Amino acid sequence: MSRQFAEATAAWLERTSGLPTIAYPFSICFWFNAPSNDSNAFFGMFVSGGDQWMCEIVADETVKWQHWNNSSWAIATPSNTFTNNVWQHLAIICTSSTNWAVVLNGDWANRGTYTSTARTFAAPVEINIGRASSNLGATMDGLIAQWTLWNNHALTQAQVEALAGPFSSGSQSGAGKDPQSIQGDKIAVHLRLEGTASPEPDFQNTYNF
């Protein structure tokens, strides 16, 4: 099961009220399936004043986790790339303001890291799935499934590898371990993104989860 996002129709899911408390350390993981040459956002967390976090697809089959503080971008990018039109797994681990890791398909050795200037995490005023934010737009083409956010927990290498599972080309979303089975008491948001109804079970309506 997964949710289809279409850039042509600017489809996305957004929450602007009742947002979960998020603070370091936190982690996010999900499955995605992106078409060729897509270059838009998987999701974003927007903070008032233009400060925002964004996870982005880049057209050369790479991904970026980044933060904008109204002055500069802080970016973490895995050194491995993904395959278009095939299910892939992504995990983001933000242990502290100066220690992030982004792991594509459970490949810990090729994880992207950020260990530079501290980036404060302010409470978001909106969380978007399928686009960056109401400020940037940048909606996505493709599928997302099993979007999960852990608060006060940094996923370990073993947990990331278990979530990505026995990854191979053509794997379906959910091929790895169920996110809800890992530190379930720390999960702030878990979206199955079934795509079987509108609104689907995890969402209050088309644009709110």
Side-chain angles (χ1 to χ4, degrees):
M1 299 293 185
S2 58
R3 180 80 180 197
Q4 175 78 53
F5 294 89
E7 184 179 7
T9 58
W12 76 91
L13 299 163
E14 178 184 67
R15 185 170 183 171
T16 57
S17 63
L19 295 171
T21 299
I22 307 170
Y24 293 114
F26 67 91
S27 305
I28 298 168
C29 81
F30 59 96
W31 288 88
F32 71 94
N33 188 326
S36 299
N37 300 314
D38 191 43
S39 184
N40 282 307
F42 293 121
F43 71 90
M45 295 185 285
F46 181 66
V47 180
S48 59
D51 191 344
Q52 60 193 354
W53 300 77
M54 180 172 67
C55 188
E56 181 183 15
I57 308 170
V58 184
D60 58 0
E61 288 74 53
T62 59
V63 295
K64 295 193 294 184
W65 170 242
Q66 51 199 339
H67 175 252
W68 171 253
N69 64 359
N70 273 320
S71 176
S72 63
W73 287 102
I75 301 172
T77 303
S79 57
N80 56 328
T81 59
F82 66 85
T83 303
N84 294 118
N85 301 304
V86 172
W87 280 106
Q88 318 281 317
H89 186 268
L90 190 69
I92 298 161
I93 306 101
C94 294
T95 304
S96 70
S97 61
T98 58
N99 184 0
W100 311 344
V102 184
V103 186
L104 178 62
N105 294 328
D107 187 350
W108 192 265
N110 285 307
R111 67 192 182 280
T113 60
Y114 176 82
T115 56
S116 189
T117 306
R119 293 291 177 132
T120 302
F121 192 92
V125 297
E126 67 180 43
I127 297 177
N128 293 265
I129 309 294
R131 75 167 181 175
S133 69
S134 56
N135 187 42
L136 281 181
T139 51
M140 179 193 172
D141 266 333
L143 299 159
I144 299 177
Q146 298 284 348
W147 194 93
T148 308
L149 184 153
W150 289 262
N151 190 39
N152 292 318
H153 179 64
L155 290 169
T156 66
Q157 177 179 352
Q159 289 172 337
V160 169
E161 291 171 348
L163 287 162
F167 184 84
S168 61
S169 277
S171 292
Q172 293 299 303
S173 60
K177 195 167 184 177
D178 181 354
Q180 296 178 100
S181 69
I182 294 177
Q183 291 293 136
D185 60 323
K186 301 293 187 181
I187 292 177
V189 180
H190 175 68
L191 305 176
R192 291 167 294 176
L193 297 173
E194 293 183 354
T196 56
S198 183
E200 58 178 283
D202 290 312
F203 291 81
Q204 297 169 4
N205 59 56
T206 307
Y207 297 103
N208 291 293
F209 63 82

